[in-house]
Amino acid sequence: MNTKSILLAYASRYGSTQEVAETIAAALREAGLEVELQPMQEVKSLDNYASVVLGAAIYNAKWHPNAHQFLSQHQEALRQRPVAIFALGPLSTGETAMLRSRRQLDKELEKYPWLKPVALEIFVGKIDPAKLSFFERLGTTASDHRDWKAIRAWASSLAAQLQQAEKLFHPA
Ligand SMILES: Cc1cc2nc3c(=O)[nH]c(=O)nc-3n(C[C@H](O)[C@H](O)[C@H](O)COP(=O)(O)O)c2cc1C
């Protein structure tokens, strides 16, 4: 089991979470880990993975529906593997915005009391009004405050955390 790779599964409506997932996958690979990157809805089974990293954005206080679908569909397998989670949410770097998104995510994750992530992080997201519908666009302005340094730093610490956790879940 320890030789198996990490699954990094993401749910992204407008692409910014996918780019963050790609950056995290690259950082984990730089740390010597084997990583498979896939959109959540394309994952059929977790059999080939020793651990799972899930990344999805928040929209209107709700986590991406594919993330909910993934947690329900793979509950049994996820209980048996270390799981790390990241979400994209706030559009500004302010503490209030960050806390608000964090509370939204916590509320969503409360629906899965069996889920005990080994790491949980929120990153500032990106918004491009040109990609939104007329009503979604109202009152929004373009912004991209994604903190790539923070994203890479989290991924680097995650490499060690996942390896440590895998030993607990899958003792040699
Ligand atoms: C219509 C809409 C609603 C949003 N609502 C929230 C929200 O309630 N809470 C939050 O933290 N972020 C919210 N966001 C910010 C998104 O999470 C952010 O734009 C993210 O980077 C989008 O990811 P994606 O490009 O992968 O779809 C919202 C974005 C959009 C477009």
Side-chain angles (χ1 to χ4, degrees), residues 11-18 57-62 64 88-91 97 100-101 104 124-127 132 136 146:
S12 177
R13 211 189 277 173
Y14 304 107
S16 64
T17 307
Q18 180 178 346
I58 303 171
Y59 312 91
N60 301 322
K62 302 288 174 209
H64 195 299
L88 260 72
L91 295 169
R100 191 170 142 267
S101 301
Q104 292 174 341
V124 177
K126 169 186 174 175
I127 200 153
L132 304 180
E136 286 176 330
R146 283 174 296 173

Side-chain angles (χ1 to χ4, degrees), residues 8-147:
L8 203 170
Y10 61 88
S12 177
R13 211 189 277 173
Y14 304 107
S16 64
T17 307
Q18 180 178 346
E19 289 167 355
V20 170
E22 285 163 358
T23 300
I24 292 173
L28 291 173
R29 286 178 188 132
E30 270 168 39
L33 303 180
E34 204 179 298
V35 183
E36 274 191 44
L37 184 66
Q38 284 194 49
M40 284 185 196
Q41 78 274 18
E42 288 181 14
V43 178
K44 300 280 177 279
S45 156
L46 304 187
D47 285 354
N48 290 330
Y49 307 108
S51 52
V52 178
V53 182
L54 298 178
I58 303 171
Y59 312 91
N60 301 322
K62 302 288 174 209
W63 217 23
H64 195 299
N66 290 0
H68 287 293
Q69 162 75 25
F70 190 95
L71 289 176
S72 304
Q73 187 180 339
H74 299 288
Q75 177 182 165
E76 282 316 308
L78 288 168
R79 282 171 182 270
Q80 294 159 32
R81 287 159 176 76
V83 178
I85 288 178
F86 69 90
L88 260 72
L91 295 169
S92 71
T93 49
E95 205 179 320
T96 315
M98 200 58 124
L99 274 175
R100 191 170 142 267
S101 301
R102 178 63 197 236
R103 271 197 292 272
Q104 292 174 341
L105 179 65
D106 287 345
K107 202 152 179 255
E108 290 287 82
L109 294 179
E110 274 171 18
K111 297 170 185 165
Y112 309 94
W114 53 267
L115 184 65
K116 310 275 183 235
V118 297
L120 178 63
E121 191 57 280
I122 291 237
F123 298 119
V124 177
K126 169 186 174 175
I127 200 153
D128 177 0
K131 291 185 175 174
L132 304 180
S133 70
F134 175 77
F135 287 108
E136 286 176 330
R137 205 183 306 144
L138 292 175
T140 62
T141 46
S143 75
D144 183 0
H145 296 294
R146 283 174 296 173
D147 183 344

